[in-house]
Coordinates of all heavy atoms in Angstrom, one line a residue:
S74 N 90.1 96.5 114.7 CA 91.0 96.0 115.8 C 92.3 95.5 115.2 O 93.4 95.8 115.7 CB 90.3 94.8 116.5 OG 91.2 94.2 117.4
V75 N 92.2 94.8 114.1 CA 93.4 94.3 113.4 C 94.2 95.5 112.9 O 95.5 95.5 113.0 CB 93.0 93.4 112.2 CG1 94.2 93.1 111.2 CG2 92.4 92.1 112.7
S76 N 93.6 96.5 112.3 CA 94.3 97.7 111.8 C 95.0 98.4 112.9 O 96.2 98.7 112.8 CB 93.3 98.6 111.2 OG 93.9 99.8 110.8
E77 N 94.4 98.6 114.1 CA 95.0 99.3 115.2 C 96.2 98.5 115.7 O 97.3 99.1 115.9 CB 94.0 99.5 116.3 CG 93.0 100.5 116.1 CD 91.9 100.5 117.1 OE1 92.0 99.8 118.1 OE2 90.8 101.1 116.8
R78 N 96.1 97.2 115.8 CA 97.2 96.3 116.3 C 98.4 96.3 115.3 O 99.5 96.5 115.7 CB 96.7 94.9 116.5 CG 97.7 94.0 117.2 CD 97.1 92.6 117.4 NE 96.5 92.2 116.2 CZ 95.6 91.2 116.2 NH1 95.3 90.6 117.2 NH2 95.1 90.8 115.0
L79 N 98.1 96.2 114.0 CA 99.2 96.2 113.0 C 99.9 97.6 113.0 O 101.1 97.6 113.0 CB 98.6 95.9 111.6 CG 98.3 94.5 111.3 CD1 97.6 94.4 110.0 CD2 99.6 93.7 111.3
Q80 N 99.2 98.7 113.1 CA 99.8 100.0 113.1 C 100.7 100.2 114.3 O 101.8 100.8 114.2 CB 98.8 101.1 112.9 CG 98.2 101.0 111.5 CD 97.4 102.1 111.1 OE1 97.9 103.2 110.9 NE2 96.1 101.9 110.9
R81 N 100.2 99.7 115.5 CA 101.1 99.7 116.7 C 102.3 98.9 116.5 O 103.4 99.3 116.9 CB 100.3 99.2 117.9 CG 99.4 100.2 118.5 CD 98.9 99.7 119.9 NE 98.4 98.4 119.9 CZ 97.1 98.1 119.8 NH1 96.2 99.0 119.6 NH2 96.7 96.8 119.8
D82 N 102.2 97.7 115.9 CA 103.3 96.8 115.7 C 104.3 97.4 114.7 O 105.5 97.3 114.9 CB 102.8 95.4 115.1 CG 102.1 94.6 116.1 OD1 102.1 94.9 117.3 OD2 101.5 93.6 115.7
W83 N 103.8 98.1 113.7 CA 104.7 98.7 112.7 C 105.5 99.8 113.4 O 106.7 100.0 113.2 CB 104.0 99.3 111.5 CG 103.2 98.3 110.7 CD1 103.4 96.9 110.6 CD2 102.1 98.5 109.9 NE1 102.5 96.3 109.8 CE2 101.6 97.3 109.4 CE3 101.4 99.7 109.6 CZ2 100.6 97.2 108.5 CZ3 100.3 99.6 108.7 CH2 99.9 98.4 108.2
A84 N 104.8 100.7 114.1 CA 105.5 101.8 114.8 C 106.5 101.3 115.8 O 107.6 101.8 115.8 CB 104.4 102.7 115.5
A85 N 106.2 100.3 116.5 CA 107.2 99.7 117.5 C 108.4 99.1 116.8 O 109.5 99.3 117.2 CB 106.5 98.7 118.4
A86 N 108.1 98.4 115.7 CA 109.2 97.8 114.9 C 110.2 98.9 114.3 O 111.4 98.8 114.4 CB 108.6 97.0 113.7
E87 N 109.6 99.9 113.8 CA 110.4 101.0 113.2 C 111.2 101.8 114.3 O 112.3 102.2 114.1 CB 109.6 102.0 112.4 CG 109.2 101.5 111.1 CD 108.5 102.6 110.2 OE1 107.4 103.0 110.6 OE2 109.1 103.0 109.2
A88 N 110.6 101.9 115.5 CA 111.2 102.6 116.6 C 112.5 101.9 117.0 O 113.4 102.6 117.6 CB 110.2 102.8 117.7
E89 N 112.5 100.6 116.9 CA 113.7 99.8 117.4 C 114.7 99.7 116.3 O 115.8 99.1 116.6 CB 113.2 98.5 117.9 CG 112.3 98.6 119.1 CD 111.8 97.2 119.6 OE1 112.3 96.2 119.0 OE2 110.9 97.2 120.4
A90 N 114.5 100.2 115.1 CA 115.5 99.9 114.0 C 116.0 101.3 113.5 O 115.3 102.3 113.5 CB 114.7 99.3 112.8
S91 N 117.3 101.3 113.2 CA 117.9 102.5 112.6 C 118.5 102.2 111.3 O 119.2 101.1 111.2 CB 118.9 103.1 113.6 OG 120.0 102.2 113.8
G92 N 118.3 103.0 110.3 CA 118.8 102.7 109.0 C 117.7 102.1 108.1 O 116.8 101.5 108.6
A93 N 117.8 102.3 106.8 CA 116.8 101.9 105.9 C 116.6 100.4 105.9 O 115.4 99.9 106.0 CB 117.1 102.4 104.5

Side-chain angles (χ1 to χ4, degrees):
S74 173
V75 167
S76 176
E77 288 168 13
R78 188 178 48 200
L79 281 172
Q80 293 189 67
R81 279 194 311 267
D82 290 351
W83 300 337
E87 283 190 293
E89 293 178 11
S91 62

